[in-house]
Amino acid sequence: MMDESLDKRREIRFGITTEAVVKTTLINQFTAVVSDISKTGLQLCLTDCNEHVLPPDVKVSIAELKLKSQRYKVLDYDSVTGLLRLKALNKENLTRLVRQLHSVAMVQPRVQNLVKQHSMLFRYVWELTCRHFPAPALQVITGRQMVNRLKTLYMPECAAALYPFEMSDHKAPLHGFFADMGKSPPDSSALRRLLQKAERFHLAINCERKSDQKLISLTAYQCFGSSLRNAIKQALQENEVGLYICGIECQINRDINTPMTEQRLALLLKIDLDVHEKLLALQKSYSHVIYLADFSAFLNALMLASVVPSVRKASAANAAL
């Protein structure tokens, strides 16, 4: 497992191409090209080094960044490619440097904020994937009444995540996944936990008795963590029941404008100004997107193979639908 203190994805990093000098001993020093810098580390490529092994510590000078003889610990060195990854031993100078780079990155495209760049790329790929993923996506808006917040359901024709429920008059039976059983008035503790960030992922489990097609709602603990699991496994083997499991994942709409929405809205602006303004205002009210994915085949296979997913009994009592 990777040491979290060395995980550079957790800190601000900047991409900048500039020359540096790496000093390995009192005599030997080599030229290099910097590619990645942060307040705790540095990545560069040695251009004229023929050594296969470097000492534990080196000193790095970067004239353009006014960094002189900064001591670094060698984390990794590839003698074939010359790629060198370093960890700073004195972070005070680098902290000031990163602050300067953060300001420079605002006005100079040559200095790139890699974390922001990667975040935007991930967001774009995530949105593109979700639009082609064969699972329903439920748009949620801000509001007080839980039921009124469930605004729009986008569902591809090939989606099977609603089974064993069926569409009726263009209405999706979402209560089969969210509603608490036997509550009056109707309530959904699962939906509340998802929207309040107490839970990001939830399993909605329904067991169908094939003799009379009666549905029994189960919690994750009842299905996988209790003594009932063996009875369900035996019933599955004898084809007496069907186990239908829907994975429900909640994502927060953190950014109002994303690369994809900006591109779509720009095209719409050329066609209809009024609709463009309405959509621009409407997207500000969307707070979450909930995805419903069919995990039945996967978790049925785990059940039959006696592989038990890790479930907590404490949270299972609150996970009933």
Side-chain angles (χ1 to χ4, degrees), residues 220-235:
Y221 178 75
Q222 288 172 334
C223 185
F224 299 109
S226 69
S227 58
L228 185 61
R229 178 177 61 86
N230 292 327
I232 296 174
K233 176 184 175 182
Q234 183 176 352

Side-chain angles (χ1 to χ4, degrees), residues 197-313:
K197 297 188 293 186
E199 191 176 56
R200 182 176 175 180
F201 184 80
H202 178 77
L203 282 180
I205 306 174
N206 287 281
C207 185
E208 180 186 34
R209 193 165 56 195
K210 293 189 176 182
S211 59
D212 56 2
Q213 294 185 327
K214 181 180 179 180
L215 287 177
I216 303 172
S217 179
L218 301 173
T219 66
Y221 178 75
Q222 288 172 334
C223 185
F224 299 109
S226 69
S227 58
L228 185 61
R229 178 177 61 86
N230 292 327
I232 296 174
K233 176 184 175 182
Q234 183 176 352
L236 283 173
Q237 291 173 335
E238 297 174 359
N239 200 28
E240 294 178 353
V241 300
L243 195 61
Y244 305 105
I245 304 173
C246 180
I248 304 173
E249 184 174 4
C250 185
Q251 295 284 345
I252 301 175
N253 287 339
R254 299 185 182 276
D255 300 321
I256 297 175
N257 293 320
T258 65
M260 181 169 286
T261 57
E262 288 179 354
Q263 184 180 10
R264 295 290 182 87
L265 288 172
L267 294 173
L268 182 60
L269 181 61
K270 300 176 182 179
I271 302 172
D272 194 323
L273 177 60
D274 292 336
V275 176
H276 171 269
E277 295 299 325
K278 288 180 181 179
L279 286 178
L280 195 60
L282 184 62
Q283 70 173 349
K284 295 180 181 180
S285 65
Y286 284 109
S287 60
H288 299 76
V289 181
I290 296 177
Y291 300 97
L292 295 92
D294 184 17
F295 289 167
S296 300
F298 174 64
L299 291 177
N300 269 263
L302 292 184
M303 176 73 76
L304 293 172
S306 298
V307 177
V308 184
S310 176
V311 292
R312 291 180 297 175
K313 186 174 181 179

